[in-house]
Amino acid sequence: MIDSTSSFDRAALIVAHDEANAFDAVVPPIVQTSLFTFSSYEEMEQTYLGAKVRPAYTRGLNPTVRHFETMLAQLEQAEDAMGFASGMAAISSTVMALVQPGDRIVCVRHVYPDAYRLFQNLLKRYGVTVTYVDIRDEEAVAAALPGAKLLYLESPTSWMMHVGDLAALAALAKKHGIVSVIDNSWATPIFQRPLTYGIDLVVHSASKYISGHSDVVAGVVAGSKELIARIKANTYPYLGGKLSPFDAWLLIRGLRTLPYRMKAHEEAGLSVARRLAAHPQVTAVHHPGLGNTLPASLSGTSSLFSFELKEGVNIPRFVNHLRLFKLGVSWGGHESLVVPSQVARAQNAGPNSAIDFEVPPSNVRLHVGLEGSDALWSDLTQAIAAAS
Ligand SMILES: *Cc1c(COP(=O)(O)O)cnc(C)c1O
């Protein structure tokens, strides 16, 4: 005999698993629980044997996290996706699931500095080596690939925004039986869908544009069922960097406005980048959208880019005079941000330097937020004038 209280409890659990019936809520519920109980020995056994798929423990499966993973997989046109507690958790779990001692990774130059440190500091200790190549130089990539296990890409790359031909690079990797992985945080699936060009796996720092509100640290990997299953089997449960239900819920909110935010970032970013390119105190602007045509794999551009100031412009003075652009790392939220490369160089000095950086000291990175491009342009011009 089931009393009304316990049947309600069970009903609440079931609707939480079934988003189509979640109290008719337009926003999926946050299933903020570590564990899920079973109604019988048989149900527990069936679940453990894999005959029944249902949550047992949130590190394995959580409905809110699964909701985000399903949305992201659809956006990337992937069969499956898996959420992580950070972009670096997604990157480390993905890469470490696919390599073993003696293997070699081919990685693009100007990769995200913590990915570089993962390769140089941690993977090296486990006998994995890395060859760095210029993503624009297909011959160099082709020469580096034979015998490698993994091709690790960013396009555009961090800071210098070098862009590669994803279809050609994916074909090269396939020819040698090498799994290809790309960090797509910059473009997001709104502007670039790497799997459609033959890349095997896409990783994201969801802390950036996907969240879009600078209030979450999270990551995700998307790709074929088979590769996601390999990550699930090899590293993910043991490294344990699981996305939390509340953060997944914030990411679901972020995804709902992602196309509109990206359009607004694109317009504002291009508007500022074009005006910088024409400014007499600016010697270079590294933004993939300034050419006559967009690179083939990009259908648009986000608003993170870097530029170089003429010798003699005092960079500390320049950033100290900025009012709307705040000094800060990360990007992808509402607020505009600035990072002088000199500061990043200082952080990366020493034997474990992520630099390889080859970013000139006159280089400054901007994230153009949503405050309005005219106001942001006034801010930049007054700060350049004050520093010149
Ligand atoms: C921020 C970032 C990462 C790392 O993501 P976290 O969420 O901070 O761990 C990886 N790749 C790129 C390109 C990033 O900008």
Side-chain angles (χ1 to χ4, degrees):
M1 180 67 193
I2 296 169
D3 70 32
S4 59
T5 321
S6 69
S7 74
F8 173 77
D9 286 350
R10 203 156 313 145
L13 192 64
I14 291 161
V15 291
H17 302 163
D18 176 8
E19 62 182 75
N21 191 27
F23 306 109
D24 294 324
V26 301
V27 176
I30 311 172
V31 185
Q32 188 74 23
T33 183
S34 60
L35 77 120
F36 301 81
T37 56
F38 300 95
S39 59
S40 67
Y41 176 97
E42 289 74 20
E43 191 188 19
M44 190 176 204
E45 186 180 53
Q46 290 291 298
T47 306
Y48 271 64
L49 292 172
K52 177 170 181 159
V53 178
R54 52 144 286 169
Y57 186 57
T58 276
R59 175 152 54 78
L61 179 62
N62 175 282
T64 315
V65 174
R66 196 62 196 144
H67 192 111
F68 164 71
E69 291 168 344
T70 306
M71 285 175 84
L72 196 282
Q74 277 172 17
L75 273 175
E76 285 288 7
Q77 293 178 242
E79 285 175 4
D80 203 356
M82 210 188 321
F84 288 87
S86 69
M88 279 313 300
I91 292 167
S92 55
S93 289
T94 299
V95 171
M96 291 169 82
L98 300 170
V99 295
Q100 52 189 20
D103 285 346
R104 186 167 56 84
I105 298 171
V106 175
C107 174
V108 292
R109 302 196 77 135
H110 301 294
V111 71
Y112 179 69
D114 276 343
Y116 180 89
R117 290 184 197 98
L118 166 73
F119 298 157
Q120 290 308 112
N121 301 354
L122 187 70
L123 291 185
K124 218 167 160 181
R125 282 206 271 137
Y126 293 93
V128 175
T129 56
V130 186
T131 312
Y132 295 93
V133 289
D134 186 328
I135 195 171
R136 301 163 300 180
D137 186 348
E138 254 161 61
E139 273 175 35
V141 180
L145 281 178
K149 195 63 170 283
L150 192 79
L151 175 61
Y152 188 88
L153 304 168
E154 263 176 39
S155 183
T157 60
S158 291
W159 285 94
M160 298 308 284
M161 305 293 150
H162 294 161
V163 173
D165 180 337
L166 295 192
L169 294 168
L172 276 173
K174 281 220 159 49
K175 189 173 119 191
H176 295 283
I178 294 168
V179 176
S180 51
V181 179
I182 188 167
D183 182 331
N184 201 29
S185 311
W186 185 92
T188 83
I190 302 305
F191 291 145
Q192 180 164 264
R193 290 181 171 167
L195 302 181
T196 66
Y197 294 95
I199 301 288
D200 295 311
L201 286 167
V202 170
V203 291
H204 282 281
S205 168
S207 323
K208 314 293 165 54
Y209 288 118
I210 287 177
S211 131
H213 295 77
S214 305
D215 51 11
V216 183
V217 171
V220 66
V221 57
S224 69
K225 277 203 164 86
E226 190 254 324
L227 282 172
I228 299 295
R230 262 171 82 183
I231 298 164
K232 213 167 251 172
N234 287 350
T235 46
Y236 158 76
Y238 319 118
L239 295 176
K242 175 78 178 187
L243 178 60
S244 83
F246 181 62
D247 286 346
W249 183 83
L250 287 169
L251 296 178
I252 291 164
R253 183 195 58 170
L255 283 183
R256 289 176 159 191
T257 56
L258 183 65
Y260 308 98
R261 288 187 286 105
M262 293 315 291
K263 205 72 211 152
H265 280 296
E266 175 178 46
E267 275 173 30
L270 276 171
S271 162
V272 170
R274 287 192 182 119
R275 286 189 263 189
L276 276 173
H279 193 287
Q281 295 292 69
V282 172
T283 56
V285 179
H286 305 287
H287 184 304
L290 293 185
N292 290 332
T293 54
L294 272 180
S297 61
L298 289 171
S299 62
T301 53
S302 73
S303 62
L304 183 81
F305 63 96
S306 69
F307 71 102
E308 277 148 46
L309 284 161
K310 212 176 219 169
E311 213 181 303
V313 179
N314 183 317
I315 289 179
R317 262 183 85 80
F318 164 64
V319 297
N320 284 335
H321 272 83
L322 288 167
R323 290 291 164 262
L324 290 175
F325 283 87
K326 304 292 180 196
L327 270 158
V329 295
S330 194
W331 37 275
H334 178 275
E335 58 288 338
S336 292
L337 297 164
V338 59
V339 186
S341 73
Q342 285 175 9
V343 173
R345 289 173 86 83
Q347 184 210 5
N348 286 296
N352 288 324
S353 161
I355 299 180
D356 184 45
F357 196 60
E358 287 172 11
V359 177
S362 58
N363 183 294
V364 175
R365 192 184 79 178
L366 294 182
H367 170 252
V368 177
L370 302 175
E371 299 93 336
S373 53
D374 288 342
L376 292 170
W377 179 244
S378 304
D379 194 30
L380 286 168
T381 47
Q382 63 79 23
I384 295 173
S388 298

